[in-house]
Amino acid sequence: VVLTPLRLEAWALSAALAGHGETVRVGYGLRRATAAAERLPRGADRPTAVAGFGGALAPGIAAGDVVVASEVRDGAGSAVPCPSASLVAGELRRAGLSVHVGPILTVDRVVRGAERGRLAASGALAVDMESYPLVRAAQAAGSPVVVIRAIVDTPDRPLARPVTAQASLAAWRSLRRAGRVLVRWAQVAGPRRVLLASPRSFCAGVERAIEIVERALELHGPPVYVRKQIVHNVHVVEDLRQRGAVFVDELDQVPAGATVVFSAHGVAPAVRDDAQRRGLSVIDASCPLVVKVHNEARRFARRGDTVLFIGHPGHEETVGTVGEAPDRMRLVSSVAQAREIEVSGPVSYLMQTTLAVDEATEIADALRERFPSLDGPSSEDICYATTNRQDALRAVAADADVVLVVGSQNSSNSKRLVEVAERSGTPAFLVDDATEIDLGWLRGATTVGLTAGASAPPALVQRVVDNLAGLGPVEVTERQVTEESVRFTLPKEVRGT
Ligand code: SF4
């Protein structure tokens, strides 16, 4: 059911809702909405949307943009959360709309002039005159709730003819497109089980790398230059960027004499030499488990082996490790390559730390068949965090209808988690955060497996759970396959701050 104030708003939504739900006009203004809230059927736990026009409070929101409420406030200090806001916002963006997520304030009058700025200072993005009592009543009835407002007036363009007529048309069109998203949202509402894989999310190498940048910022003040993404996660990188880290692709973008942090994925010796030539002050955030593989590469190469490196072409860890002995190392990325590669003399192999265990084992087995005297690392190169996250996901994937992996597209270990779930026969999707969850994936999915790659912050996983809880009651079960207690010491350059 969509609760909407005016006939014009109901008209915008009618085409999308035909055959899928009903539009209930609640009338214009707080008094009518409060009365309508009293009439909402009790105990009707049906997905309820409040949709209509609204006024922007915050700058940067244009007529025709859509604001999705993260919570609805009443102006007297009370607020009702709308937990599935990110899911709806993502879907609206994919539908081509310009979308903002934040608090919406319900007031009892049209907001004009200086009052707009005063209300914006409270952090609310938009105002309306109906949502609060409706949302409160619907939630009390046990209904999942979402609130969207298509913006008509803004701080730059307040209500005034003929501007408002154009703005209303833009808002009306947006509302019409949003109707289809509301239907998709309602279709996936309902109770769910969430199976949380454990361990998941940050590993010791990632925590250390992030702490190194944070401490470097404290010690030296911004800017602190970081070569490549410190870890492969857009949220981590953006957060550090806002705190003063400057991410560069190569050292020639770093001013002479500045401090530069090397990322967790490790660097080739040529990069260290370059930094020294440029007089840069280096703090190395390479994960100690990557450094271990570099050491093995040097050892094998020094004794004259051809070193076959099982890894993904172009990944920074591969580039860095192969750079230890470029003349003696060869990259092998598949079983087919392992069967074809021609090598003479002594041969050894090493692996990228973030591979899928099953796939890497197959490649190593194929190499052993080809080269019976093949030497290998003293202990497995695939790191404890990669192995644990894959084992944990295997423990939930088979029982889930769909698996969500929180992580970025360039995160190797996150992508491997998707593959692990798919190998268990469960469809799996990699998302940077809740906004990237396609509502279609949740259709018919009453059990959702959830994990996160080693570079994804734990808070993002919690936000996914919160958003799923905005679709209906959620029962969360954690399946833990092992405990992790690994910690790495910080480099001396940032220790003791
Ligand atoms: S995934 Fe493994 S190798 Fe990579 S940073 Fe984490 S602990 Fe280190």
Side-chain angles (χ1 to χ4, degrees):
V1 58
V2 180
L3 308 176
T4 192
L6 299 174
R7 192 186 301 273
L8 188 63
E9 292 156 320
W11 179 35
L13 294 158
S14 57
L17 283 168
H20 297 292
E22 61 172 319
T23 315
V24 175
R25 281 205 299 122
V26 296
Y28 173 72
L30 184 57
R31 191 176 52 78
R32 290 191 184 90
T34 305
E38 294 287 312
R39 296 194 300 273
L40 286 183
R42 303 279 157 205
D45 58 344
R46 51 192 182 164
T48 301
V50 180
F53 299 145
L57 294 174
I61 302 177
D65 286 4
V66 176
V67 176
V68 182
S70 57
E71 63 177 30
V72 181
R73 300 175 180 172
D74 71 348
S78 297
V80 189
C82 302
S84 60
S86 296
L87 290 176
V88 174
E91 200 80 0
L92 288 167
R93 283 190 194 119
R94 286 187 289 278
L97 291 161
S98 172
V99 182
H100 311 263
V101 181
I104 289 180
L105 181 65
T106 298
V107 293
D108 59 0
R109 62 204 171 278
V110 174
V111 173
R112 296 180 196 279
E115 190 183 9
R116 206 189 283 264
R118 238 183 8 260
L119 295 178
S122 71
L125 295 188
V127 276
D128 66 24
M129 293 169 62
E130 298 88 11
S131 292
Y132 182 80
L134 297 169
V135 168
R136 207 181 46 174
Q139 276 196 349
S143 303
V145 173
V146 67
V147 178
I148 62 166
R149 289 287 173 174
I151 295 302
V152 175
D153 54 305
T154 69
D156 297 341
R157 309 186 90 183
L159 294 171
R161 290 163 200 266
V163 174
T164 300
Q166 292 165 5
S168 299
L169 184 60
W172 188 86
R173 286 187 172 135
S174 296
L175 205 52
R176 190 174 55 174
R177 286 163 80 182
R180 285 192 287 272
V181 170
L182 295 179
V183 169
R184 280 168 69 79
W185 171 80
Q187 284 169 340
V188 298
R192 272 193 179 77
R193 274 201 320 153
V194 172
L195 300 179
L196 269 181
S198 177
R200 63 181 175 277
S201 205
F202 281 172
C203 61
V206 163
E207 282 179 345
R208 174 179 180 270
I210 294 169
E211 192 175 351
I212 287 171
V213 178
E214 290 172 339
R215 287 186 175 226
L217 283 165
E218 275 170 35
L219 268 176
H220 303 286
V224 163
Y225 292 85
V226 182
R227 182 182 176 276
K228 310 285 184 189
Q229 292 192 349
I230 184 72
V231 299
H232 285 155
N233 186 271
V234 292
H235 290 277
V236 171
V237 167
E238 190 47 38
D239 176 55
L240 292 172
R241 196 194 307 273
Q242 284 183 9
R243 290 151 72 182
V246 176
F247 293 91
V248 297
D249 270 334
E250 290 307 337
L251 293 182
D252 56 11
Q253 296 165 268
V254 182
T259 298
V260 65
V261 179
F262 289 157
S263 77
H265 311 99
V267 294
V271 176
R272 292 181 197 283
D273 296 345
D274 191 18
Q276 200 174 18
R277 259 195 315 276
R278 289 170 188 276
L280 303 176
S281 152
V282 169
I283 308 175
D284 191 356
S286 303
C287 175
L289 299 182
V290 175
V291 173
K292 168 186 151 273
V293 184
H294 279 235
N295 294 342
E296 286 165 338
R298 280 200 302 276
R299 184 165 67 86
F300 287 157
R302 230 183 284 130
R303 72 186 187 191
D305 288 11
T306 297
V307 186
L308 304 176
F309 185 71
I310 305 173
H312 290 283
H315 189 277
E316 278 149 38
E317 186 183 331
T318 300
V319 173
T321 312
V322 173
E324 286 290 348
D327 300 336
R328 300 225 62 88
M329 293 188 74
R330 306 266 302 272
L331 180 62
V332 180
S333 322
S334 64
V335 172
Q337 279 181 4
R339 289 193 181 124
E340 280 165 15
I341 196 160
E342 295 292 340
V343 177
S344 58
V347 196
S348 51
Y349 79 95
L350 294 170
M351 282 181 192
Q352 192 179 331
T353 56
T354 50
L355 298 180
V357 175
D358 303 351
E359 196 187 352
T361 306
E362 277 174 36
I363 298 175
D365 287 347
L367 287 176
R368 261 184 227 104
E369 260 174 49
R370 289 286 315 283
F371 310 106
S373 60
L374 183 78
D375 199 358
S378 50
S379 61
E380 281 312 313
D381 288 336
I382 297 179
C383 78
Y384 79 97
T386 301
T387 309
N388 290 347
R389 278 150 193 72
Q390 290 176 14
D391 287 348
L393 183 55
R394 256 182 236 108
V396 306
D399 293 336
D401 300 310
V402 67
V403 164
L404 301 175
V405 178
V406 181
S408 288
Q409 289 296 336
N410 60 348
S411 161
S412 172
N413 80 85
S414 303
K415 284 168 91 167
R416 303 294 83 77
L417 288 171
V418 170
E419 292 165 7
V420 164
E422 287 173 341
R423 248 178 261 138
S424 303
T426 307
F429 302 97
L430 182 61
V431 292
D432 256 313
D433 53 42
T435 65
E436 291 194 351
I437 298 171
D438 186 311
L439 291 175
W441 302 339
L442 300 176
R443 245 178 130 174
T446 52
T447 302
V448 176
L450 183 57
T451 187
S455 46
L460 297 177
V461 177
Q462 186 54 48
R463 263 176 244 154
V464 170
V465 174
D466 293 345
N467 269 270
L468 294 175
L471 296 171
V474 159
E475 180 197 317
V476 179
T477 308
E478 185 163 52
R479 290 195 182 160
Q480 181 166 16
V481 296
T482 185
E483 271 191 46
E484 289 183 345
S485 55
V486 178
R487 293 282 174 276
F488 297 128
T489 53
L490 293 167
K492 63 179 183 327
E493 293 86 353
V494 293
R495 236 178 270 151
T497 61

